[in-house]
Amino acid sequence: MASEAHSEGTGLVFHPMDQFIVKPLFGEGQIEWYTITNVTLWMALAVVAVVVILVFGTSRRAIVPSRSQSIGELAYGFVYKMVEDVAGKDAVGYFPYIMTLFMFIVCANFLGLIPMSFTTTSHIAVTAVMAMAVFLAVTILGFVKNGMSFLSLFWISSAPLALRPILALIEVISYFVRPVSHSIRLAGNMMAGHAVIKVFAAFAGVAVIAPLSVLAITAIYALEMLVSFIQAYVFAILTCVYLKDALHPHH
Amino acid sequence: MATNTSTATEAATPGMPQLDFSTFGNQIFWLVVTLVVIYLILSRVALPRISGVLAERSGTISNDLAAAEELKANAVAAEEAYNQALSDARAEAAKIVASTKADMKAELDAAIAKADAEISQKTAESEKVISEIRATALESVEEVAKSTAMALVSALGGKEDAKTIDAAVSNEMKG
C-alpha cells in the first residue's frame, strides 16, 4: 500500500523530510565516511560560491569597486566590524576563522534555497561540529589566555555574596548548553523552513488550494531568505560573544 | 485518503534524516574538508586581497583629501597675496596723493612768498617815491615860503636880509 501511494502520488503525499536524506552521489549502497554524497556536492558548491564572491569578485582590485567587488568588500567589512565591535580589538586575529564560518553558513543556507537542492546546514551533524569546534576552541583559548582566572567568568563578583554560588551554577549550566543551542538554532531553523515549504508544495497538488499554496510558498521563501542570512549572522555573532568571554572573562 | 497519507508518510520517512547516525561520519568528514578549504582560500587569497584593497582605498582617499587641503591652502595664500597687493597699492596711492599734495602746497607757498616779497618790495619802492615826493614838496614849500617871505619883507619895505629871513622861515617851519 505504501508503494502504491508512492508510485501513483494521487492523494496528498507528504515527504517533507525526504529532502534531507543523505544519498551517495554515484550509485547506491552503504555510506562510508569517504563516500561522495550529496553533502559533498553541496558543500563543494558552497566553496565555489565563496570563491566566486570573495576571490573572483575582487580579482580586479579596483579602487572604485565593481558591483561584485562591492559584495565581497561588504561581506568582509560586515564580519570584520562585527568581530571588532563584539569581541574587541584583540580578537581581530581570529577574524579569518569567524569569516570562514560565516561565509560557509551563509553560502550553504542560500544554496539550500535553490529548489531540489540539499541544505547541508539543516543537519545537526554539521552544525554540531561547528558549534563544538567553537565551544572547544573558546574554552581552551580562555584557559590558555587567562589560566585559572578564566573561571571567574562563572563567579559574578557584582552580585551579592549569598547569590554567587547559585549564579555560578546557572552560569556553568548555561555555558555548557551553549554548543547545544548554538547548533540546534541553526539546524532547526533551516530544517523547519524547508520542511514547511515542502508541506505547502505538497498541497499545491490539489487544484483548489494550489493558488493559495503557491502564494504561501512564495511568502515563506521570502521569509527563508531572511532567515538564511539572519541565522548565519546569529551563528557568527554568538561565536564572537563566546570569543569575547574567552578573551575577557572578567565581567 | 487520510490513511493513504499517513502510511505514505510513515514509509517515506523512517524518522528524521538528521538523526540517521550512519551518515554522521560522512557529513563530518566533508564538513571538515570544506571548512579547511574555505579557511585556506580566505586566509591565503581572499582576505589579504580585500584588506589590501580597502587599505589602498583609504590611502587614496586620505591622499586626495590631503591634496585638496593643500590646494585649499594655496587658494587661501593666493587670496592673501592678492589682498596684500591690493592694500600695498592703496597705500602707494595714498602716499602719492600725499606727496603730490605736499608738492603743490610747497609750490603754492613759494609762489605766495614770492608774491608777498614782490608786493612788499613794490610797497617799499612806492613808499620811497612817496617820501621823496614829500621831501621835495617840503623843500619846495620852504623855498616858496622863503621867497614869499623875502618878497613880503621887501614889499613892506624892509631890508632884504636873505640870511635872516631864511633862518626865520626855517625856524618857523621847524616849530
Side-chain angles (χ1 to χ4, degrees), chain A:
Chain A
M1 198 172 164
S3 60
E4 204 180 280
H6 261 228
S7 54
E8 291 177 14
T10 46
L12 274 180
V13 185
F14 291 104
H15 303 298
M17 303 307 273
D18 279 12
Q19 58 178 323
F20 302 121
I21 293 172
V22 177
K23 291 179 285 232
L25 212 54
F26 308 106
E28 298 284 325
Q30 192 69 29
I31 296 170
E32 302 292 341
W33 61 267
Y34 52 82
T35 314
I36 295 176
T37 56
N38 47 1
V39 176
T40 320
L41 172 67
W42 288 98
M43 283 184 179
L45 287 176
V47 173
V48 170
V50 170
V51 169
V52 166
I53 292 170
L54 291 182
V55 178
F56 292 164
T58 60
S59 57
R60 283 175 52 214
R61 300 162 191 256
I63 293 295
V64 180
S66 59
R67 284 182 197 182
S68 56
Q69 191 180 323
S70 287
I71 294 171
E73 287 174 6
L74 222 59
Y76 181 98
F78 179 69
V79 179
Y80 193 90
K81 196 164 182 333
M82 178 166 72
V83 174
E84 208 177 26
D85 289 353
V86 176
K89 286 223 185 296
D90 47 346
V92 160
Y94 306 100
F95 162 67
Y97 302 101
I98 292 163
M99 186 75 175
T100 302
L101 285 176
F102 177 78
M103 287 312 292
F104 169 69
I105 295 170
V106 105
C107 288
N109 285 356
F110 275 98
L111 285 172
L113 283 176
I114 299 170
M116 310 303 291
S117 72
F118 176 81
T119 318
T120 51
T121 41
S122 69
H123 274 265
I124 193 73
V126 170
T127 59
V129 167
M130 291 193 290
M132 279 311 291
V134 169
F135 177 75
L136 289 176
V138 160
T139 307
I140 293 167
L141 194 70
F143 278 113
V144 168
K145 288 260 173 185
N146 305 291
M148 278 302 133
S149 77
F150 178 57
L151 292 174
S152 68
L153 179 65
F154 306 116
W155 195 252
I156 297 154
S157 48
S158 59
L161 192 60
L163 278 177
R164 281 185 210 172
I166 306 165
L167 283 175
L169 186 67
I170 296 172
E171 286 285 322
V172 169
I173 292 171
S174 79
Y175 188 82
F176 283 98
V177 168
R178 274 178 182 182
V180 180
S181 62
H182 204 189
S183 59
I184 289 180
R185 183 180 299 112
L186 175 58
N189 268 291
M190 298 319 294
M191 186 189 76
H194 286 73
V196 167
I197 289 179
K198 202 73 175 176
V199 169
F200 276 110
F203 275 120
V206 180
V208 185
I209 50 172
L212 195 68
S213 167
V214 169
L215 258 177
I217 290 173
T218 312
I220 291 177
Y221 196 90
L223 181 68
E224 278 306 294
M225 304 254 298
L226 201 67
V227 168
S228 290
F229 179 77
I230 287 172
Q231 286 307 317
Y233 174 61
V234 165
F235 196 97
I237 206 164
L238 281 177
T239 307
C240 290
V241 169
Y242 300 161
L243 189 60
K244 192 201 89 186
D245 281 349
L247 296 176
H248 316 283
H250 314 288
H251 288 279

